[in-house]
Amino acid sequence: MLTPLLLSTVGLVAIAIVIDLIVGDPRSLPHPVVLMGRAISSYERLWNRGTAQQRRLSGTFLTITLVGGVWFSSWLLLTLLAKLHPGLALLAELWLLSTTLAIKGLGDAARAVAGPLSKGDLPAARQALGMIVGRDTQTLDEAEITRGTVETVAENTVDGITAPLFFALIGGAPLALAYKAVNTLDSMIGYKNQRYGDFGFASAKLDDVANWIPARLTALCLWFAGLLLSISGVLPLRWKGALQGTRRDAPGHPSPNAGWPEAMVARLLGVRLGGTNFYQGVASHRATLGESLEPLRLAHITATVRLMHGAWLLFMLLAVGVTALVLTLRGLL
């Protein structure tokens, strides 16, 4: 059972990647994350009330029921479809797996900012950036627009690509979708403010746990991607010392995980990320990542997208290598 199971899982995930790269997230089709978001919004309005302890308990209950419910409902759907016809279950799992990935979407979002920026159209670039970040973008210059885009692509390489791949390879579509439920909960209610500090406590903590391994593996894959792009002459990246610099910088980020891919990208590009952002006019100060060896500019967006693609490719190669090792060890036993 182990051999075909491992091979089929890697194969399914690889095909789902191809589907995402070609199709992306067409708006004409229902998306599981959209449904999750609607459920979270509805229950947050109903349950986020009472004392701090009551809100924390309600938020914990929402986290457990949503994540568990997403896993169980997707598993049940695939099981029932498999009883009707194995082909139906296969197609459904491929589609569900592809919805957990955002390779095409993340690249398209970065290019939507880079396009007008290359033409000097700062208002359009600010508007495009505002679609993918929560910070105020109305007055940003080219360097700050670039910083926001680079930070978003680096962080979402984990949330939108490698972490879903990690859980898909372990437990197929049901576990990958359960991860997306965790990630969606954190993105909607996992904030340390008056409204969500207690209600979103469990969601934020579970997201930290879920992303701990993928974030660090992603940073390592980004470094290898930077090394390969550098020695091949495609991009002049600063891979020497990037591992040590990332280990120093990443803990300074307010997130225990997001700092790893962001710090690695900053080190590879030789730029400084982090600093001060404004949210509805209120300043938010973050620790800086990397060193300002060169000013942030448009070319860094393109370089970050290339690093993103290199990282997920290497992540998949790592998965194939681990699978081959497991199969080899099993054959020796």
Side-chain angles (χ1 to χ4, degrees), residues 130-289:
M131 300 297 291
I132 57 174
V133 300
R135 71 191 69 176
D136 299 342
T137 63
Q138 298 89 341
T139 61
L140 300 184
D141 58 14
E142 178 181 344
E144 286 299 298
I145 292 171
T146 298
R147 178 169 74 86
T149 309
V150 168
E151 288 173 352
T152 299
V153 173
E155 179 179 357
N156 283 283
T157 297
V158 178
D159 295 345
I161 307 175
T162 54
L165 288 176
F166 178 80
F167 289 102
L169 289 165
I170 294 173
L175 194 59
L177 284 165
Y179 166 78
K180 294 305 291 185
V182 172
N183 191 240
T184 305
L185 280 161
D186 181 66
S187 67
M188 294 183 67
I189 63 173
Y191 299 102
K192 295 179 181 179
N193 56 27
Q194 185 175 3
R195 178 172 179 175
Y196 297 121
D198 292 302
F199 188 72
F201 178 81
S203 298
K205 292 301 181 184
L206 184 57
D207 185 76
D208 290 343
V209 172
N211 280 316
W212 199 91
I213 294 175
R216 286 150 182 81
L217 285 177
T218 301
L220 184 61
C221 289
L222 283 165
W223 181 80
F224 274 113
L227 172 62
L228 293 174
L229 288 169
S230 295
I231 63 177
S232 65
V234 176
L235 281 175
L237 297 167
R238 294 175 168 85
W239 56 272
K240 294 180 179 179
L243 286 172
Q244 296 88 334
T246 297
R247 283 198 295 268
R248 288 195 302 270
D249 295 346
H253 196 283
S255 165
N257 299 312
W260 288 87
E262 287 188 32
M264 180 58 74
V265 168
R267 287 287 173 177
L268 290 170
L269 297 179
V271 300
R272 178 169 291 165
L273 300 178
T276 302
N277 299 325
F278 288 86
Y279 298 88
Q280 297 180 341
V282 179
S284 175
H285 304 285
R286 292 185 175 185
T288 57
L289 307 170

Side-chain angles (χ1 to χ4, degrees), residues 7 20 25 112 172 202 222 299 307 326:
L7 290 176
D20 177 65
D25 294 323
L222 283 165
L307 283 169
V326 170

